[in-house]
Amino acid sequence: MQLQIEWNGKPVTVQLRPRDNGTWEMESGGKMFAVDVRAITRNLYHLILDGRSYDVQVTSSGSEVILSRRGGNITLKTPDERKWSGSAAGGGASDGTIAAPMPGKVVKYHIKVGDTVQAGQGVVIVEAMKMQNELKSPVNGKVVKLGPAEGTAVESGILLIQIEPDSASSPS
């Protein structure tokens, strides 16, 4: 998973990869860091970053998540919404496939098999790195298949929803 963050007012790109032991590996600027995050309360987390320990207050504002600790804030910006449409995760937008864009957990489907959806309609919420993101339908059509049940952990690329595009929204 790639995130754009702001650190001391400067944009920074980081790559996060889950490890087998429930922790994360973060790469930024060619350096690797070990990351472990544990919830203390709903908005307070204990973070161990490369052996250093921090208590971090988490708040969200629009598409941003702000991590506050002594010494400053770190702003995490939600990835480009187009990358959450399913098209960047292995499924083509025009084929009606919505796949998990990164490892996470299926929180809630807003639709069921047989429902008719419109392009841009929110259809499922996936949580990754303590952030919930709504994936949207890439096409108008009918839901023909749902993937893993709500509450299930998923890997990147796992099929979440298959939508049969309307003939008007199918490529010719």
Side-chain angles (χ1 to χ4, degrees), residues 1-3 14-18 22-26 35-37 45 47 58 65 67 76 84 102-105 126-133:
M1 162 177 35
Q2 180 172 305
L3 292 175
V14 298
Q15 288 281 337
L16 290 171
R17 288 180 281 281
T23 63
W24 294 79
E25 179 179 83
M26 180 176 79
V35 180
D36 188 9
V37 179
Y45 293 86
L47 170 72
V58 178
V65 175
L67 309 178
L76 306 176
W84 286 93
M102 63 186 70
K105 180 177 79 174
V126 176
E127 181 179 288
M129 291 297 294
K130 314 291 184 205
M131 293 186 289
Q132 292 190 355
N133 296 281

Side-chain angles (χ1 to χ4, degrees), residues 93-98 111 115-118 121 123 136-145 159 161-166 169:
S94 63
D95 72 0
T97 300
I98 299 175
I111 43 82
D115 283 356
T116 300
V117 296
Q118 301 297 311
Q121 177 182 340
V123 291
K136 299 178 188 315
S137 174
V139 296
N140 297 337
K142 181 178 178 181
V143 177
V144 293
K145 184 177 181 180
L159 177 70
I161 300 172
Q162 179 66 51
I163 299 168
E164 183 179 288
D166 287 347
S169 60

Side-chain angles (χ1 to χ4, degrees), residues 57-110:
Q57 185 77 32
V58 178
T59 56
S60 62
S61 174
S63 64
E64 296 181 346
V65 175
I66 300 166
L67 309 178
S68 303
R69 66 173 184 87
R70 269 190 259 160
N73 296 335
I74 300 171
T75 303
L76 306 176
K77 293 186 176 179
T78 304
D80 185 330
E81 202 168 289
R82 289 172 292 178
K83 293 180 180 177
W84 286 93
S85 69
S87 61
S94 63
D95 72 0
T97 300
I98 299 175
M102 63 186 70
K105 180 177 79 174
V106 176
V107 175
K108 181 166 183 53
Y109 289 103
H110 296 304

